[in-house]
Amino acid sequence: MTPTLLGRWQTRLLLFATVGVLVSLPFAIGLIGPGANSVYFWILGYVAIFGLGWDVLYDYIQKFRWDRDWPAAYQLLAGIWELVFVFCGIKLFGFLPIPLPKEELPLGVFLFHYSIVWLAVFIVSQSLMRIIFLRWRFRGGQWL
């Protein structure tokens, strides 16, 4: 599938609003991590919102490839890059506000939460999306 920009946006928002929220829920209610806190939904929101901007860049880069495709390895690199950006924004420089001081968010829990959310979103985008939305990949990733 060659995703279009609109398809990227629709897929990103759908996956973060469903899979991302479901995976973040155990963190937010305190089953995983140091305790109940809404900071995990803030992280999820930042990744989704800034990802819309990153998707513009990814769509631009994709047009330089001979097949205009976006392989799974590139999706892996994009996930790592987005992790670095959100980590710097929340933990290192603190220019992204969260409902607790940046020092109180444990690095290990932050990395674990991001990794689990990203892995779940990646797996669902590579499997369930193709089953549930049969024409999703033929419409450039657009499901509406």
Side-chain angles (χ1 to χ4, degrees):
M1 169 187 73
T2 303
T4 63
L5 182 58
L6 186 59
R8 284 180 175 280
W9 285 347
Q10 288 181 5
T11 301
R12 179 181 289 268
L13 292 177
L14 174 71
L15 290 174
F16 277 102
T18 56
V19 176
V21 168
L22 287 174
V23 171
S24 296
L25 202 55
F27 289 90
I29 62 176
L31 294 176
I32 302 173
N37 201 323
S38 66
V39 70
Y40 304 105
F41 292 121
W42 284 75
I43 293 169
L44 188 67
Y46 286 138
V47 174
I49 290 169
F50 286 115
L52 297 176
W54 288 118
D55 282 340
V56 174
L57 176 65
Y58 302 152
D59 187 64
Y60 178 76
I61 292 171
Q62 174 183 323
K63 291 183 171 123
F64 288 105
R65 294 187 37 85
W66 68 273
D67 60 353
R68 301 199 187 273
D69 196 9
W70 192 258
Y74 284 13
Q75 193 172 355
L76 171 66
L77 294 175
I80 294 170
W81 171 249
E82 291 175 19
L83 166 71
V84 170
F85 181 78
V86 172
F87 172 76
C88 288
I90 291 176
K91 208 59 184 129
L92 197 59
F93 301 120
F95 63 84
L96 297 175
I98 55 174
L100 73 154
K102 66 180 183 178
E103 297 80 21
E104 290 184 23
L105 180 64
L107 174 64
V109 175
F110 173 81
L111 292 174
F112 184 63
H113 172 254
Y114 181 90
S115 300
I116 296 297
V117 168
W118 186 88
L119 184 62
V121 166
F122 177 77
I123 290 171
V124 170
S125 73
Q126 298 295 317
S127 60
L128 285 178
M129 286 293 290
R130 297 169 191 221
I131 296 169
I132 295 171
F133 299 105
L134 297 175
R135 300 195 184 271
W136 169 74
R137 56 188 188 161
F138 300 113
R139 293 182 182 160
Q142 297 179 32
W143 51 274
L144 287 179

